[in-house]
Amino acid sequence: MDDEMMRRPNRRKLLILIFVVFFTWLLYCNRSGLTSDSEDSWIVEGHGQSRIVPRKCVVPEWNTKNTNSIPHAAEFGHWRRQYLGGHNDMLDAESRLLSAFVYPDQISIVTTAFHTYTKEVTCLYFDCNQREIPKSRYKSYVMPLTVVSCPRRVGAEFVSLKWNEDDDEEIIEDPIPLINRVYEQPAHELSVCVGPLYGDESKWLEIIEYVEHYRLMGTTMFYFTIFNINEYDRRIIDDYERMGLAESTKYIMEYVKLGWMFHLIQTHECHYRSRFHSKWVINMDIDERLVYNGPNNFIHFMRSIPPTFSEISIASNRVLKFEDFPTKFKNEQQLLKDMTFLKYNQTTETSWYNLKGIIRPEKVALLFYHWSVRQLDDTKIMSVPKRFAYVRHYRSVDENKLNSNWRTFYNGGLTETRLEENFEKRLTSTVMERVKYVYDRRMIRCEEIAPATFKRFERRLLDCAFKNESQTL
């Protein structure tokens, strides 16, 4: 009896120890990212009954970081008080969440409304089930332009914003997913921020010429921004995305059409999209082509830039463009006649009036259209001599296009110029190859369809044509 009495307290201690160890293990799992405290679940139906299968968030190692401040907060606060980094082209617009990125040291959320610049806002964080992470909110402000910077939170996969002026009625926008940019080294050495695509003129050939030109210079990623584009033009962007050469940002706003007045939002969205993803980023519109005449090749030149520089500036000229691009591909002979770099060569003098920039995204703080306004970490800007590099800007002379009166203010002469001969030949070949791969298409031939299928379905349901019939789409 006495032995039994003595063993009972020991059993209690053992049970208590087991419970303590068990709950400590659960706490460790939650904090280390093995599980989350989300109560979300799935309902699985089958065999005449339903059962609930809990869904737990698995947090990867890169997403286990928590920060309490924003890098360079003092500098951004100073620029905010000076009202630097804002540009209010639109006095009113819905502030919608466009994209969000997580970096090694912070999170940035890009919105769509110019007029929110400098306003206070609250960052909200959500787990994989889009449940808000408890006690994670952070008060921040819009700076620069339409961008909100927030600290990082462990396990955050979605983010949203709450404008502080709505404190009485908590209105929170639908969370959007964080795009991972937590890289020890940039995934790309040289990329391009492509100016926004909008307007009625066809762009499929212009896009191909642009991409293939910069690929020959060593570029491996293209960041597209789509304001307005037709289905035919969209096909080539889809193909470059398929190849892993492009990312595209789609704008869903309340306006029927977007145009040049939203260009700065594109500039900033692309800037934050490329941060930590690309080491150097060429910031050029779709009608601008960088030309390098220096020693070795352009990638070799970029590798020689000291780390104390965050931007290199490049002068530009203008090549007169007299006609719109073709709406569709017809044949090889017509394509050779339509290629811009073969068709147009009347060129203005090269000047610094419309300079363009190539930047290190993580070292640049504030941007204008094609160059930086403020830099970080005491970095500097380098101007590249015209004899080494310049930009060919294929500028329309159509009076109905934006800034079409530019020739009125140009007092210089015109000369005939071309791309370097070998580069031009290679570009012609790669453009032809890509155009034919994507746009040289034909109907399904009825002879290709299995006889059993042809017998089972009427021809009108098979979308085919016989060889002796028209093959034109």
Side-chain angles (χ1 to χ4, degrees):
M1 178 68 72
D2 292 339
D3 292 341
E4 184 67 24
M5 296 282 291
M6 292 177 64
R7 281 197 296 269
R8 287 180 181 175
N10 292 334
R11 290 176 181 172
R12 292 194 193 99
K13 291 179 181 179
L14 181 60
L15 288 173
I16 292 172
L17 179 61
I18 291 173
F19 278 114
V20 169
V21 171
F22 176 71
F23 285 110
T24 301
W25 178 80
L26 284 179
L27 182 62
Y28 167 78
C29 287
N30 281 325
R31 290 185 174 179
S32 64
L34 296 177
T35 64
S36 78
D37 57 2
S38 170
E39 297 178 358
D40 198 17
S41 60
W42 293 325
I43 297 177
V44 181
E45 297 183 354
H47 304 292
Q49 60 182 355
S50 300
R51 60 192 179 93
I52 297 177
V53 180
R55 181 192 179 197
K56 296 295 183 181
C57 293
V58 178
V59 181
E61 180 64 29
W62 64 263
N63 203 13
T64 58
K65 186 174 182 178
N66 205 65
T67 60
N68 297 312
S69 60
I70 298 171
H72 304 286
E75 293 162 279
F76 279 104
H78 174 67
W79 294 326
R80 180 192 180 205
R81 290 188 292 272
Q82 293 183 317
Y83 213 76
L84 288 174
H87 194 81
N88 200 359
D89 279 332
M90 298 292 296
L91 300 177
D92 190 22
E94 293 181 19
S95 180
R96 301 186 178 188
L97 305 186
L98 182 58
S99 53
F101 307 93
V102 54
Y103 311 113
D105 53 3
Q106 69 181 77
I107 288 171
S108 292
I109 305 171
V110 185
T111 70
T112 59
F114 288 103
H115 62 83
T116 61
Y117 176 66
T118 74
K119 288 187 178 181
E120 292 187 346
V121 65
T122 301
C123 306
L124 283 70
Y125 306 83
F126 302 81
D127 65 13
C128 71
N129 297 311
Q130 297 196 31
R131 298 290 185 92
E132 185 176 358
I133 298 174
K135 299 179 180 180
S136 63
R137 295 188 177 191
Y138 181 88
K139 288 199 172 184
S140 186
Y141 51 82
V142 183
M143 173 72 189
L145 200 70
T146 66
V147 181
V148 178
S149 294
C150 312
R152 289 186 57 180
R153 294 290 184 263
V154 174
E157 293 195 23
F158 293 82
V159 289
S160 185
L161 296 174
K162 184 180 83 70
W163 301 100
N164 290 349
E165 61 190 37
D166 299 324
D167 281 337
D168 294 337
E169 182 182 357
E170 186 164 273
I171 300 175
I172 300 174
E173 297 191 57
D174 291 335
I176 59 173
L178 281 170
I179 298 173
N180 181 15
R181 292 296 192 248
V182 182
Y183 294 101
E184 293 183 4
Q185 296 291 332
H188 300 277
E189 189 170 5
L190 180 65
S191 300
V192 182
C193 273
V194 187
L197 302 179
Y198 63 91
D200 297 326
E201 184 177 359
S202 293
K203 296 175 178 62
W204 61 274
L205 180 55
E206 190 173 25
I207 292 169
I208 295 175
E209 289 184 9
Y210 184 97
V211 171
E212 298 306 323
H213 180 107
Y214 284 106
R215 286 183 70 188
L216 289 176
M217 298 189 71
T219 300
T220 56
M221 174 56 63
F222 297 82
Y223 305 103
F224 285 96
T225 295
I226 299 174
F227 284 177
N228 302 291
I229 193 171
N230 63 46
E231 183 180 353
Y232 193 83
D233 295 345
R234 174 74 213 209
R235 194 181 299 166
I236 184 58
I237 295 180
D238 290 343
D239 189 58
Y240 283 128
E241 289 188 299
R242 175 190 67 84
M243 297 169 66
L245 290 170
E247 293 182 3
S248 61
T249 304
K250 299 84 175 172
Y251 281 59
I252 307 298
M253 296 182 67
E254 67 270 32
Y255 303 110
V256 174
K257 282 190 175 182
L258 301 178
W260 66 267
M261 289 187 294
F262 296 87
H263 191 156
L264 271 178
I265 297 181
Q266 173 271 328
T267 300
H268 283 71
E269 199 280 341
C270 192
H271 174 65
Y272 282 86
R273 178 174 290 273
S274 63
R275 291 185 77 225
F276 293 95
H277 193 232
S278 298
K279 182 178 180 180
W280 287 100
V281 175
I282 302 170
N283 194 356
M284 302 282 176
D285 288 339
I286 193 68
D287 55 1
E288 297 168 343
R289 313 284 191 275
L290 176 63
V291 176
Y292 178 72
N293 293 323
N296 298 308
N297 55 48
F298 188 65
I299 286 290
H300 184 273
F301 169 73
M302 295 303 298
R303 289 172 180 168
S304 70
I305 305 291
T308 52
F309 290 91
S310 57
E311 179 180 2
I312 62 172
S313 296
I314 301 175
S316 67
N317 59 33
R318 289 181 172 180
V319 182
L320 278 61
K321 175 176 170 288
F322 295 97
E323 298 175 356
D324 284 352
F325 282 95
T327 56
K328 290 188 176 182
F329 169 68
K330 293 181 180 179
N331 53 57
E332 291 186 19
Q333 292 73 26
Q334 186 60 47
L335 179 61
L336 288 171
K337 295 179 182 179
D338 290 332
M339 288 186 188
T340 310
F341 57 94
L342 298 178
K343 187 176 184 178
Y344 303 115
N345 295 290
Q346 292 186 46
T347 312
T348 67
E349 298 171 3
T350 303
S351 74
W352 292 100
Y353 178 72
N354 289 300
L355 65 88
K356 312 297 177 181
I358 303 176
I359 65 171
R360 288 285 302 271
E362 76 280 6
K363 294 182 179 294
V364 165
L366 307 181
L367 287 168
F368 196 49
Y369 287 101
H370 294 290
W371 58 86
S372 66
V373 179
R374 291 290 185 276
Q375 301 77 38
L376 297 170
D377 302 326
D378 296 320
T379 55
K380 299 176 177 61
I381 299 174
M382 173 193 297
S383 295
V384 180
K386 299 176 187 177
R387 67 182 184 277
F388 284 161
Y390 63 92
V391 174
R392 287 174 68 87
H393 186 174
Y394 293 92
R395 200 72 168 85
S396 175
V397 297
D398 187 339
E399 294 181 356
N400 297 315
K401 300 292 178 64
L402 179 66
N403 294 330
S404 59
N405 63 341
W406 65 270
R407 293 182 69 187
T408 305
F409 306 101
Y410 177 68
N411 299 317
L414 296 174
T415 56
E416 289 283 331
T417 65
R418 299 185 72 97
L419 297 173
E420 189 273 327
E421 184 179 1
N422 184 53
F423 186 94
E424 188 178 274
K425 288 181 179 179
R426 293 168 63 200
L427 181 58
T428 302
S429 176
T430 57
V431 169
M432 180 70 72
E433 180 182 348
R434 185 51 44 191
V435 168
K436 292 184 68 177
Y437 184 88
V438 177
Y439 291 106
D440 190 9
R441 309 203 303 171
R442 62 175 175 81
M443 292 287 290
I444 297 173
R445 295 194 182 100
C446 296
E447 291 88 348
E448 294 178 279
I449 299 175
T453 302
F454 207 90
K455 290 179 181 178
R456 182 179 178 185
F457 297 98
E458 297 180 27
R459 180 188 166 184
R460 63 182 178 82
L461 300 176
L462 298 176
D463 292 326
C464 68
F466 288 101
K467 286 183 180 181
N468 59 348
E469 295 177 341
S470 173
Q471 302 294 304
T472 304
L473 282 174

